[in-house]
Amino acid sequence: MTCGRFASSISTALRHPGVIALIVAGVTIAAMLIVDHGPWSRAKTQPAHVAMYATTGEAARAAGAEVLPTKPKSPIEPARPGPKTSPAINPVTP
């Protein structure tokens, strides 16, 4: 008889919002510990030939590629349609 009453009180206690919140918090903390400290989260070391170049341009030049700037705008560019705008009174300089 006492076993039935004990099971009933446990199932009633597990439905309490505070207990549910504690269970969710425990599962969340366990999941974070597994994800953050697993073998897949180790630092990835780069081989020497990859780590030698800091930028894409340096790596391209080392491989023999030619890095060129973009072409400037065409001098024969059409005028913007619509009315001309007045210059800004207080121009913003970055």
Side-chain angles (χ1 to χ4, degrees):
M1 188 77 174
T2 60
C3 186
R5 208 169 69 201
F6 178 72
S8 176
S9 67
I10 289 292
S11 66
T12 304
L14 287 178
R15 291 187 190 142
H16 191 271
V19 175
I20 294 172
L22 286 174
I23 292 171
V24 169
V27 169
T28 304
I29 289 172
M32 284 192 313
L33 288 174
I34 290 171
V35 169
D36 289 343
H37 300 291
W40 49 84
S41 65
R42 301 285 183 253
K44 311 267 187 307
T45 57
Q46 296 178 337
H49 69 279
V50 174
M52 190 182 327
Y53 307 106
T55 65
T56 306
E58 290 176 9
R61 283 186 208 92
E66 194 173 330
V67 180
L68 300 173
T70 57
K71 293 183 179 182
K73 286 186 173 182
S74 171
I76 311 173
E77 191 165 323
R80 197 176 105 199
K84 291 187 177 183
T85 58
S86 62
I89 295 174
N90 293 327
V92 177
T93 55

